[in-house]
Amino acid sequence: MTRIHLCASLALLASVGQVHAHSVKSEPTEAVQAAFDIIETKISIKDETAIFSTRVRGEAGAQKPAATGKFEGSDVYAYVWPTSLDSAEIGFEAKQGIVALAVTFHPDFDDAANGGVNRDIWHPHWVVLAEDKACGGGLKVIDIPEGAKPKLPATWPGVPLLIDSPEYPTTFKGDAVDVEIPLQLIGGIAGASYDGVTAGLKVNGNLHAPLLCVSNVFKVASGNLSLPGKVAPLD
């Protein structure tokens, strides 16, 4: 998907129309690396848990970015679930941007809560995204301007971005990646709309805003980021 097509589809996020229950399915795309070639994305509710799940054509998590040895200019790979959630539901100010859960791997830096180490494992984040034409993929994680004091979740990792680092159980098994989140932590997820994305992100080489860009969109499950999935109880 080109940056132009992705940016144009952002307008759909504000007014999602008809949605389909359960998963968003996608035909295999040989041009996409198998580890990022989304076949199906789903957010389901089982008992008191929301389960975020993505299946790919190959082995989920098999491809990881190469270490560069420095923070600036380093790469991040991600499995992402954009949602219709409001940013207030994950601990930020309301109406800040596109709320997404992202499972990421970045070997050059740590961004766990409370100074923890997570550069050597796939791990989850909440991120708030916005359009930015300066980014190769047309989107950025929203920057926190110097001196600003916005509302932040307890597990914010201390970087100047609208990003959270909760420790949700995250599992890679075969072609699937799954994240389990207690419903009491995201009550607004029931009935929410969603999509699935695989992407590469890059830290700004000059460490200026935008600090973290979506540099390359590998695949969008719906094809147009229209959030056609709808969270529903697991069959």
Side-chain angles (χ1 to χ4, degrees):
M1 174 173 286
T2 67
R3 180 176 69 176
I4 293 174
H5 289 161
L6 179 59
C7 291
S9 68
L10 291 175
L12 295 172
L13 292 172
S15 56
V16 178
Q18 183 85 21
V19 294
H20 306 289
H22 281 301
S23 66
V24 181
K25 296 183 179 179
S26 182
E27 292 297 319
T29 305
E30 293 295 328
V32 177
Q33 284 188 346
F36 298 115
D37 187 9
I38 299 172
I39 302 302
E40 182 179 26
T41 292
K42 181 187 292 188
I43 303 177
S44 302
I45 293 173
K46 182 178 180 181
D47 299 325
E48 296 302 314
T49 302
I51 304 170
F52 291 64
S53 181
T54 288
R55 290 177 50 240
V56 294
R57 178 167 54 89
E59 181 183 352
Q63 298 293 324
K64 301 171 183 175
T68 66
K70 56 183 180 179
F71 176 60
E72 57 271 26
S74 61
D75 293 308
V76 180
Y77 285 174
Y79 296 85
V80 187
W81 294 263
T83 74
S84 61
L85 289 171
D86 189 278
S87 49
E89 296 183 86
I90 59 167
F92 296 101
E93 306 285 355
K95 304 184 186 305
Q96 294 300 297
I98 305 163
V99 171
L101 183 73
V103 173
T104 69
F105 194 101
H106 41 77
D108 288 300
F109 61 93
D110 299 306
D111 57 4
N114 303 312
V117 175
N118 60 3
R119 71 177 64 197
D120 57 349
I121 57 171
W122 288 95
H123 56 273
H125 290 290
W126 284 112
V127 294
V128 186
L129 305 170
E131 180 179 355
D132 194 317
K133 294 179 180 178
C135 295
L139 292 169
K140 68 177 179 182
V141 179
I142 295 177
D143 299 276
I144 299 174
E146 186 176 356
K149 297 185 181 300
K151 181 180 178 182
L152 298 167
T155 46
W156 175 66
V159 296
L161 297 167
L162 295 188
I163 184 171
D164 189 23
S165 298
E167 294 185 358
Y168 302 141
T170 301
T171 304
F172 282 81
K173 184 176 181 180
D175 64 354
V177 51
D178 299 292
V179 183
E180 297 185 3
I181 306 176
L183 281 182
Q184 63 181 358
L185 300 181
I186 48 166
I189 195 67
S193 301
Y194 66 89
D195 213 326
V197 176
T198 49
L201 296 88
K202 184 175 284 290
V203 176
N204 189 314
N206 295 316
L207 300 182
H208 295 151
L211 178 60
L212 184 58
C213 276
V214 177
S215 56
N216 188 9
V217 177
F218 303 143
K219 189 169 183 178
V220 179
S222 68
N224 59 11
L225 202 62
S226 55
L227 306 191
K230 190 170 182 65
V231 179
L234 190 65
D235 289 333

